[in-house]
């Protein structure tokens, strides 16, 4: 297919793979969505305070804000601008809207189409036997909720789910409400995304959360990005990866698909990038087969252990002896496999496995980061443990 060719089939657009992320086009698209949804003045006011110390946090993702210097105006990404635009849109979904669109019709809409419809103006209820939402006043809606909760046989039959888009104050009150009602069933979006991370890290490292800070990323010698697409899901991470590269660090990307943002990044906060080719982010791309991450990680560790046996100082043996248990049984498990077998199963060639190990073997400051490409498998806990 020639460059720029687009074929429409079942609303899916097919085009040549992008070779970089962000840049001037990213700025243009972000501003287009903001102004279209919020208007010029409202867009300026919202974006000027987004992720600033006296502003508000972006609802787009959970990427942390820097503690020191922040960009004067653009401490956000294209996705962040889109998320704020959808939250603060001038479009409204009122009772008349719901009288025109049935449940059956709306079930055919995409998430994008639903989100672009606008913000709710009234509480709505779907009554038994009806195919349309109807307006209900606040007092009546509270009565419906209270009646349902009071008819449950146990408070533990209720789950109080929350979104990361709620404020800390709202989440605090939500927690008080659930516990006063008598249950601790409080899954939230972070809980759903990374419960397997918390379990696996607690059982292996003894701490259930990440052990590095944002400011550590630019100082790393190697960053392994596995099971995540930063350019699509949390683009501000690309700035941190770019800093690492500019400081001489290397990045290994492990994923079934290759993402444009991890090929090359044109930083919107660096206008000079608009006229240059940007920064090549990934030094080594390992296109692992779907859900064969454990296989690949075993292959890498097996090869590193072989390098250690050959006289290379790969492992921190002093740390292993003082701070860990079970290392011998771990090595025994690795040695029950062969590199050839693991290579075939993972889809990664022996040459690429060796290249990854050559990068890792001499590095001291290594960061491994992942997202739901690892956690959302049935064997998500095992993925993270490995």
């Amino acid at each position: 297919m020639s460059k720029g060719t687009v074929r429409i089939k079942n609303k899916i657009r097919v085009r040549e793979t992008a070779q970089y992320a962000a840049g001037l086009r990213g700025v243009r698209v972000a501003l287009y969505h903001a102004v279209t949804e919020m208007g010029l003045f409202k867009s300026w006011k919202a974006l000027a305070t987004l992720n600033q110390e006296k502003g508000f946090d972006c609802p787009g993702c959970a990427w942390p804000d820097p503690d020191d210097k922040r960009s004067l105006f653009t401490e956000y990404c294209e996705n962040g601008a889109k998320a704020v635009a959808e939250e603060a849109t001038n479009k409204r979904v009122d009772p008349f809207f719901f009288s025109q669109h049935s449940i059956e019709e709306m079930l055919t809409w995409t998430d994008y189409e639903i989100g672009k419809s606008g913000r709710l103006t009234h509480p709505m209820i779907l009554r038994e036997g009806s195919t349309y939402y109807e307006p209900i006043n606040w007092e009546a809606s509270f009565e419906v909720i209270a009646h349902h909760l009071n008819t449950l046989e146990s408070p533990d039959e209720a789950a109080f789910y929350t979104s990361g888009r709620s404020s800390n104050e709202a989440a605090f009150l939500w927690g008080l409400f659930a516990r006063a009602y008598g249950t601790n069933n409080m899954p939230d979006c972070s809980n759903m995304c990374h419960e397997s991370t918390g379990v696996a890290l607690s059982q292996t490292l003894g701490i259930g959360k990440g052990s590095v800070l944002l400011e550590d990323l630019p100082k790393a010698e190697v960053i392994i990005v596995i099971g995540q697409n930063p350019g699509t899901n949390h683009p501000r991470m690309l700035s941190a990866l770019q800093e690492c590269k500019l400081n001489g660090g290397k990045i290994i990307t492990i994923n079934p698909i290759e993402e444009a943002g991890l090929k090359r990044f044109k930083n919107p906060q660096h206008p000079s990038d608009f006229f240059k080719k940007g920064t090549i982010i990934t030094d080594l791309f390992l296109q692992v087969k779907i859900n064969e991450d454990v296989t690949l990680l075993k292959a890498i560790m097996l090869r590193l252990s072989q390098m250690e046996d050959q006289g290379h100082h790969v492992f921190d043996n002093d740390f292993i002896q003082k701070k860990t248990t079970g290392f011998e049984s771990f090595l025994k498990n690795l040695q029950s496999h062969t590199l050839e077998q693991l290579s075939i199963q993972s889809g990664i060639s022996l040459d690429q496995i060796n290249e990854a190990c050559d990068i890792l073997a001499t590095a001291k400051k290594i960061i491994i980061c992942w997202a739901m490409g690892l956690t959302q498998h049935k064997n998500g806990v095992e993925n993270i443990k490995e």
Side-chain angles (χ1 to χ4, degrees), residues 47-59:
L47 297 179
T49 54
L50 179 57
N51 293 323
Q52 299 296 338
E53 288 187 359
K54 295 185 179 180
F56 63 98
D57 281 338
C58 178

Side-chain angles (χ1 to χ4, degrees), residues 18-26 78 230-232 235 238 259-268 273-274 277-279 281:
Q19 297 302 309
Y20 70 89
L24 186 59
R25 183 183 180 189
E78 177 186 334
T232 301
L238 295 178
E259 188 193 46
L262 289 173
K263 292 180 185 177
R264 193 182 295 272
F265 173 54
K266 294 187 177 184
N267 195 330
D273 276 12
F274 297 164
K277 292 184 178 180
T279 302
I281 298 296

Side-chain angles (χ1 to χ4, degrees), residues 351-370:
D351 286 343
Q352 285 188 304
I353 292 170
N354 286 328
E355 188 176 352
C357 292
D358 288 340
I359 293 172
L360 293 167
T362 58
K364 300 295 183 185
K365 300 176 182 177
I366 302 172
I367 292 175
I368 306 174
C369 50
W370 63 89

Side-chain angles (χ1 to χ4, degrees), residues 7 17 73 75 139 158-159 170 211 234 257 277 325 336:
R7 180 173 70 244
T17 305
F73 180 72
E75 192 59 57
E139 185 174 350
S211 56
H234 30 265
I257 64 170
K277 292 184 178 180
T325 59
S336 68

Side-chain angles (χ1 to χ4, degrees), residues 40 44 71 93 100 102 138 151 181 213 219 226 230 237 248 274:
L40 185 60
W44 173 267
S71 177
V93 176
Q100 301 299 302
S102 68
W138 284 109
T151 57
Y181 177 65
L213 302 174
K219 303 172 187 175
I226 176 170
M237 182 181 181
F274 297 164

Side-chain angles (χ1 to χ4, degrees), residues 192-194 227-228 370-377:
M192 303 286 269
C193 295
H194 280 290
Q228 69 184 118
W370 63 89
M372 289 186 283
L374 291 190
T375 64
Q376 298 306 291
H377 291 288

Side-chain angles (χ1 to χ4, degrees), residues 17 30 47 168 280 378:
T17 305
L47 297 179
N168 288 335
I280 295 174
K378 288 183 178 180

